[in-house]
Amino acid sequence: MMKKQSSRKLKGRKKRWVGRAFLIALATIAIYLVILFPTVTSTLDQIHEPAAREVSVKRYEKIVLEKKDPISILLLGVDEREGDRGRSDTMIVLTLNPEEKSIKMVSIPRDTYTKIVGYGIMDKINHAYAFGGMEMSMESVENLLDIPIDYTIQVNMEGFEDIVDAVGGVEVNNPLAFDDFEVGKQNLNGEQALSYVRMRKQDPNGDFGRQDRQKQVIESILDKTASANTLFSYKKILSALGENVKTSISISEMREVQKNYRDTIETIDQIYFEEGTGETINAIWYYKMNSEELEKVQKTLKEHLEIK
């Protein structure tokens, strides 16, 4: 049974950010990994988890960081609980081009209906992690966007609380009253911040409304980390990240990324999928991408990665 919900066409937004404002918690982790972690070898040893493959099937040869080859990173926020692998709550792909000094950032709706590579079915893309972990998520994202994924960063979103608490909490300006959150400015601790960024069912904009709230939290975290007071939280931040982050980027690669790719944060282009529609298949709701929009995004990412 398939029912098309024409009234449920999701509204998205495409914005251009120049500077350091990443939108989601995972991107904050990426900033730490690029700028801070290369000086902390013990923490990098703890979070490094090599990929099962040496190079993507969508690349003819392995990228060379010393030559400043454009690279891609898959960022996964995993809702992982004890005794359960969980699902990827947030999926973002970053492409970094050091010559252009820019980043393209694509947020993939978690309910996207697509092929789960290696599992042989069509399903929500966030289920790929539950079926086959990071490897299946990588391959499914590659298939969807038709680009290679060079590196991965995985964050347990339960540990997001620790990160917020490590910087002394965050300040947000809430536009929508829900649960225990009133409209207006308020300070949130880690537990409150996680609830704030997770809510979507009560938001008329769904995932896109949630992304706007995540943006507020991340900007607040970045403001805190840029302040002198954060120096006193340095060890707490490293501990929070070390216990909740896994990345396929090795120590030597991380140093090359810090050296050759730092200027990419000068320009960050964010891309939303906004032309898709909702469809119910066998009583389950899915996000069906608009094929023309998907092709346009694929083309944009390939050009940024300098892939012909």
Side-chain angles (χ1 to χ4, degrees):
M1 176 182 178
M2 180 180 293
K3 181 179 179 183
K4 195 166 189 175
Q5 301 177 347
S6 59
S7 63
R8 198 166 180 176
K9 189 170 184 178
L10 300 182
K11 297 181 179 179
R13 302 175 183 86
K14 185 180 292 184
K15 299 180 180 179
R16 181 177 182 85
W17 294 91
V18 179
R20 61 182 176 76
F22 284 97
L23 290 192
I24 322 183
L26 298 182
T28 302
I29 303 304
I31 289 178
Y32 273 114
L33 290 174
V34 170
I35 297 175
L36 178 62
F37 271 32
T39 64
V40 190
T41 302
S42 60
T43 304
L44 277 174
D45 279 334
Q46 182 181 352
I47 68 175
H48 182 222
E49 191 169 276
R53 66 190 193 191
E54 185 175 351
V55 63
S56 169
V57 296
K58 291 186 175 293
R59 284 203 181 274
Y60 294 109
E61 55 187 18
K62 190 174 181 180
I63 52 102
V64 180
L65 298 175
E66 293 85 350
K67 293 182 179 179
K68 298 186 177 181
D69 290 339
I71 63 173
S72 63
I73 303 174
L74 172 62
L75 310 174
L76 287 188
V78 179
D79 190 8
E80 194 174 44
R81 295 178 173 85
E82 186 176 351
D84 180 14
R85 174 183 279 171
R87 293 179 173 85
S88 50
D89 189 61
T90 304
M91 305 184 78
I92 303 170
V93 172
L94 301 178
T95 59
L96 291 72
N97 189 311
E99 294 299 330
E100 294 184 8
K101 296 183 179 180
S102 64
I103 292 174
K104 302 290 185 187
M105 180 165 63
V106 182
S107 180
I108 303 174
R110 51 178 279 170
D111 295 326
T112 297
Y113 187 68
T114 190
K115 180 180 179 180
I116 306 300
V117 177
Y119 205 68
I121 64 171
M122 298 287 291
D123 203 345
K124 295 184 178 183
I125 195 166
N126 73 318
H127 288 182
Y129 184 83
F131 296 145
M134 178 59 83
E135 184 177 359
M136 193 169 288
S137 294
M138 288 174 64
E139 294 179 351
S140 298
V141 170
E142 285 183 329
N143 180 71
L144 176 67
L145 299 181
D146 196 27
I147 62 169
I149 296 297
D150 300 309
Y151 298 107
T152 62
I153 300 173
Q154 174 186 323
V155 184
N156 180 2
M157 295 307 287
E158 289 294 319
F160 180 63
E161 297 181 26
D162 299 332
I163 296 170
V164 173
D165 287 336
V167 299
V170 294
E171 181 178 291
V172 299
N173 189 5
N174 184 26
L176 175 70
F178 64 93
D179 296 336
D180 295 326
F181 298 97
E182 301 178 352
V183 172
K185 292 184 178 181
Q186 49 204 291
N187 293 299
L188 308 179
N189 61 27
E191 182 179 2
Q192 293 168 330
L194 185 60
S195 297
Y196 183 74
V197 300
R198 270 184 168 168
M199 190 281 287
R200 67 186 180 113
K201 291 186 177 180
Q202 299 176 58
D203 194 315
N205 288 323
D207 269 339
F208 298 108
R210 179 171 64 169
Q211 289 171 5
D212 286 339
R213 291 192 303 279
Q214 290 170 335
K215 168 184 173 292
Q216 289 189 55
V217 171
I218 296 321
E219 288 181 333
S220 183
I221 290 175
L222 291 174
D223 286 340
K224 287 290 189 71
T225 57
S227 70
N229 291 334
T230 303
L231 294 175
F232 297 103
S233 304
Y234 183 80
K235 291 184 178 180
K236 290 183 179 179
I237 294 172
L238 289 178
S239 176
L241 295 179
E243 293 174 2
N244 296 287
V245 177
K246 294 296 181 184
T247 180
S248 65
I249 309 175
S250 67
I251 295 175
S252 60
E253 290 171 326
M254 194 71 71
R255 287 176 176 144
E256 290 299 326
V257 171
Q258 182 197 38
K259 176 182 176 182
N260 298 317
Y261 294 77
R262 180 179 291 189
D263 290 343
T264 58
I265 65 173
E266 290 185 10
T267 301
I268 303 170
D269 294 327
Q270 178 159 2
I271 303 170
Y272 285 119
F273 286 103
E274 55 186 351
E275 300 297 331
T277 57
E279 289 190 15
T280 299
I281 304 174
N282 296 326
I284 300 175
W285 189 86
Y286 297 92
Y287 180 80
K288 298 292 288 291
M289 287 190 173
N290 177 281
S291 59
E292 292 183 0
E293 180 184 45
L294 177 57
E295 288 178 7
K296 183 178 179 180
V297 172
Q298 291 172 339
K299 183 175 183 292
T300 297
L301 296 179
K302 288 178 182 178
E303 290 176 350
H304 199 235
L305 288 171
E306 298 178 6
I307 295 174
K308 296 182 180 180

